[in-house]
Structure formats: structure tokens, C-alpha cells
Amino acid sequence: MGRLGGDEFAIVLPGKGQSSRDMEIAEAVLERLRDPVEIEGSPIQLTASIGLAAIVGAESATDEVLRNADLAMYAAKSAGGDRIRRFSADLADRAVVASRLRNELAAAIRGGGFDLDYQSIVDLHNNSVVGAEALVRLRRGTVRVPAGAFVTLAEQTGQIVGIGRIVLDTLAVDIARLRPVMPPGWFVTVNVSAKELADPDIITRLVDGPLAACAQSIHLEVTEGLELASQDDTMSTLRALRDGGYRIAIDDFGTGYSNFERLGELRPDLFKIDRSLVVGARTMTGSGNALLAAAVGVARTLRCRVLAEGVETFADHRVVTDLPIDFGQGFHYSRPAPLSSLLAGPGAGDPTTAT
Ligand code: C2E
Ligand code: MG
Ligand code: MG
């Protein structure tokens, strides 16, 4: 057994290839580590993430086996830690894909290789377009890769901070072109992740930067996540941004673990109810409807406006118009589209099929 560095240790077990014995030993190690350690009179609970990899073939494979064990260990960590994962070829494939994407993102951050698409937000009372959400796209040749394909990785690697800067700079340019052609009161929402909010630059950039002039028309979307509930710094940054005129929207509401006290303190303007609750209300029986209604109720109690996300079909639209929900967003109204299609006028290319 040896220490590789930092908080990483390696244990070499004799034996041939994969056996259930290595799993038993790893479980015993985890079990022992869970015993509380006393430090200055307080019990400290430790957990570990363990990756298992077998040495196959020649001695030159040492580097490879350590790399494989490392990949398995990271898989155990990202599954929540305090567990064991065995290396598999699939893990290696995913690591290669992730590392390629990471390099592609790094190049795109250096070269400004991102664009914004906009997805219309519709007022459910009269089906008019009242705003849009800005969604980042990675330019890959002629393809615009949607955010869902790279944002999670960018959050893990910290690259989201660089991407976020490009997003805000692009938004400043776009919004200057959009405002003159949009109806009064038109607003745009933009996603900011916890890592971006932790960037010490963000307040200066938003409060003193080019977007400040239209702060009133911008909602900053933050996810209803644990970070929001537990980090005082994030709360004070959001407060400063709100004082700078920006509005706050809670994104994906219904998927996190709400800290109602914090939500109230944040004074959001808008709750965006996650698509999963909309789908649940359509597909489940009474309980799905009750959950969606409860989420709307929380927003209403805090005197916030409510938006239903991911309204994909007419059936979804019917579900959300049965409740006191102000806005809808989703494929049923319009797909995310480049700036040019918005500049063609509100609702352009955007048949609001709702009746
Ligand atoms: P989100 O903020 O909840 O955005 C909605 C996502 O759902 C978008 O995916 C959108 O294209 C998709 N969507 C819209 N309508 C429908 C529908 O009717 N059905 C279904 N199934 N999906 C629909 P996208 O653009 O891939 O973005 C994924 C996530 O990435 C976003 O979820 C947001 O969390 C994040 N993201 C997007 N742009 C940015 C950004 O500029 N900065 C940061 N930090 N995160 C971003
Ligand atoms: Mg969003
Ligand atoms: Mg969302």
C-alpha cells in the first residue's frame, strides 16, 4: 500500500485478474474508513471512493492500470462517493470522449466559438411572445451543438466560467439589436451556473458592463440546487446583482431540494417549473397534477410569476393552462432558434399553435 499524492492511495493485491476477493477487500477498507476519527474532541467521519482495476499482461502496464483505477475511482466519486467502482472499457471510452470535448471547448473558449439561440417565452393568457431564453451553442462546423451536450462537462472542468463570459458578451451585442424591434416589457433570460456566480469578476462584469443598461429586461436563471441553498457567497452575489437591477429566475424548479427560507430571501421574480413536473401531470394520475399544482402554489405564495418549461405537445399545453401559470416555453410554441429569426419579428417562424 502506498500514497500516490494528496489524498490518493493505492493498494496492490496479489492474485489473478478480476476476482470477487478484490471487491471484498475494497468493501472492508470502506467499512473501516467509516469509523469516526476523533480530532480535537470532535468525531470526524471519513468516506472514500475506490476504483478497482486488474493488471493484465506485461509489467509495462503499470501506468495503464493506475490510470484505469483512477478512472474507476472518479466514476465512484461522481456517483456520490463512499462507494466502489470497477474499471470497464466503457469507462475508458467515455473518458476519451470527455477529454476530446474538453479540448474542443478549450479551443472554442479561446476562439469565441459559441453562439446563442433564443427560445420564445409565451404569455399563456393571450399566446403572445413576451420574452426568450438565451441558450448557448457550440459551433462545430455548420452544426450548432446544444448546451445539453457540453454544459455538465464544462461545469465539472470549470470551463463554464469562460463560456459564461462569452455568453454575456454575446448577449450584450444581441440585446442591443433586439430591444428596438421587441414589444415593451420584452425580456430575455440567461442561465448562470453556480461556478459562474463564484467568479469574483461577475458582479463588476454585470453591474458595470454593457448589459447593465438593460438589466431590467434580463432575468438571470439559477438552478434550484444545493449550492444555492448552502452557499452564503452565492446568495450575496445574487443580492448584489438584484440590487444592480437584474431579475432572478429559479430554473428547473421541482428538481432540487428547496430551502424555502433561502428561496424567499432571494426574492426571485420568476419560477420556471421543470419539464418533469409538466410530464408527470400529463402522464401520472392525480398525484402528478397535485405535484405540479403544489409547485405553482409555492411560486404564487412567494408572489412570483410562474413559467412551465418543456411544453412539448398540445396535451402539455392543456395541462399547464388548467393551472394559474403565466408563461409557457417549449417545442409546442417554438424551438430555440438563432438571433436572425427573432429579428424577423416577435413570433416569427414561430407558429404559436396553441388555440
Ligand atoms: P434549461 O435552462 O432548463 O433549458 C431548457 C432546455 O430544454 C434547452 O436545452 C432547450 O432546448 C430544451 N427544451 C426546450 N423546450 C423543450 C421541450 O419542449 N421539450 C424538451 N424535451 N426539451 C426542451 P439546451 O439548450 O440543450 O440546454 C440544456 C441546459 O444547459 C439548460 O437547461 C441550461 O441548464 C444549460 N444552459 C444552456 N445555456 C446555458 C448558458 O448559456 N450558460 C449556462 N451556464 N448554462 C446553460
Ligand atoms: Mg434555463
Ligand atoms: Mg430549465
Side-chain angles (χ1 to χ4, degrees):
M1 177 171 171
R3 175 164 173 245
L4 298 176
D7 58 357
E8 289 188 7
F9 298 84
I11 302 174
V12 181
L13 299 172
K16 268 203 174 137
Q18 285 186 11
S19 71
S20 58
R21 216 177 104 73
D22 58 358
M23 188 56 89
E24 274 165 32
I25 293 173
E27 270 161 9
V29 170
L30 266 195
E31 202 45 51
R32 264 318 284 280
L33 283 171
R34 288 193 192 113
D35 292 345
V37 183
E38 198 165 297
I39 294 179
E40 292 183 1
S42 310
I44 305 288
Q45 186 101 35
L46 291 179
T47 59
S49 303
I50 300 183
L52 293 177
I55 301 174
V56 270
E59 69 243 38
S60 61
T62 318
D63 277 356
E64 193 186 328
V65 81
L66 272 179
R67 211 167 40 236
N68 292 351
D70 208 41
L71 278 177
M73 185 270 286
Y74 274 105
K77 217 177 204 175
S78 61
D82 193 21
R83 65 194 71 207
I84 305 158
R85 282 285 183 270
R86 198 186 281 285
F87 171 77
S88 66
D90 177 52
L91 269 184
D93 292 346
R94 267 187 279 160
V96 170
V97 170
S99 126
R100 259 191 226 133
L101 182 57
R102 183 190 177 139
N103 292 339
E104 190 183 2
L105 290 177
I109 292 169
R110 282 194 303 274
F114 297 94
D115 288 311
L116 290 177
D117 270 358
Y118 294 87
Q119 186 178 31
S120 297
I121 293 172
V122 171
D123 185 331
L124 293 176
H125 305 107
N126 56 18
N127 290 330
S128 63
V129 175
V130 290
E133 174 171 9
L135 295 161
V136 69
R137 267 64 186 125
L138 168 68
R139 238 180 278 136
R140 182 184 286 157
T142 54
V143 177
R144 293 156 82 86
V145 181
F150 60 87
V151 159
T152 307
L153 178 74
E155 275 167 357
Q156 282 163 8
T157 60
Q159 290 171 309
I160 195 69
V161 175
I163 296 174
R165 288 183 184 172
I166 298 173
V167 165
L168 294 177
D169 289 347
T170 310
L171 185 64
V173 176
D174 288 0
I175 211 169
R177 297 182 61 193
L178 278 165
R179 279 185 96 195
V181 298
M182 290 300 164
W186 191 86
F187 62 89
V188 59
T189 74
V190 62
N191 298 281
V192 284
S193 64
K195 284 232 167 91
E196 296 175 73
L197 289 171
D199 176 11
D201 257 15
I202 189 143
I203 299 180
T204 331
R205 289 171 59 79
L206 278 169
V207 176
D208 301 328
L211 275 176
C214 28
Q216 294 287 342
S217 323
I218 298 175
H219 284 72
L220 305 173
E221 291 194 10
V222 294
T223 306
E224 179 218 6
L226 283 175
E227 294 102 321
L228 180 64
S230 59
Q231 286 187 7
D232 286 335
D233 290 354
T234 308
M235 287 300 286
S236 70
T237 302
L238 285 170
R239 238 177 269 128
L241 294 173
R242 209 184 50 219
D243 292 345
Y246 292 92
R247 291 164 201 267
I248 309 290
I250 306 294
D251 201 2
D252 307 337
F253 183 60
T255 60
Y257 304 94
S258 283
N259 178 328
F260 284 176
E261 195 187 337
R262 280 285 163 103
L263 279 181
E265 217 180 295
L266 198 57
R267 287 199 273 124
D269 277 86
L270 180 67
F271 272 76
K272 301 189 73 175
I273 298 188
D274 193 67
R275 168 169 164 75
S276 56
L277 286 180
V278 175
V279 173
R282 177 166 51 72
T283 54
M284 286 159 38
T285 43
S287 61
N289 261 312
L291 282 177
L292 178 61
V296 174
V298 169
R300 288 272 163 233
T301 308
L302 292 170
R303 297 184 195 292
C304 294
R305 290 181 300 171
V306 189
L307 179 150
E309 291 193 278
V311 180
E312 207 170 274
T313 61
F314 184 65
D316 291 342
H317 172 77
R318 275 233 301 269
V319 165
V320 302
T321 46
D322 271 352
L323 287 164
I325 297 178
D326 307 282
F327 308 122
Q329 183 184 341
F331 298 163
H332 175 63
Y333 311 109
S334 90
R335 299 236 164 205
L339 177 74
S340 52
S341 71
L342 261 91
L343 285 172
D350 204 23
T352 306
T353 42
T355 46

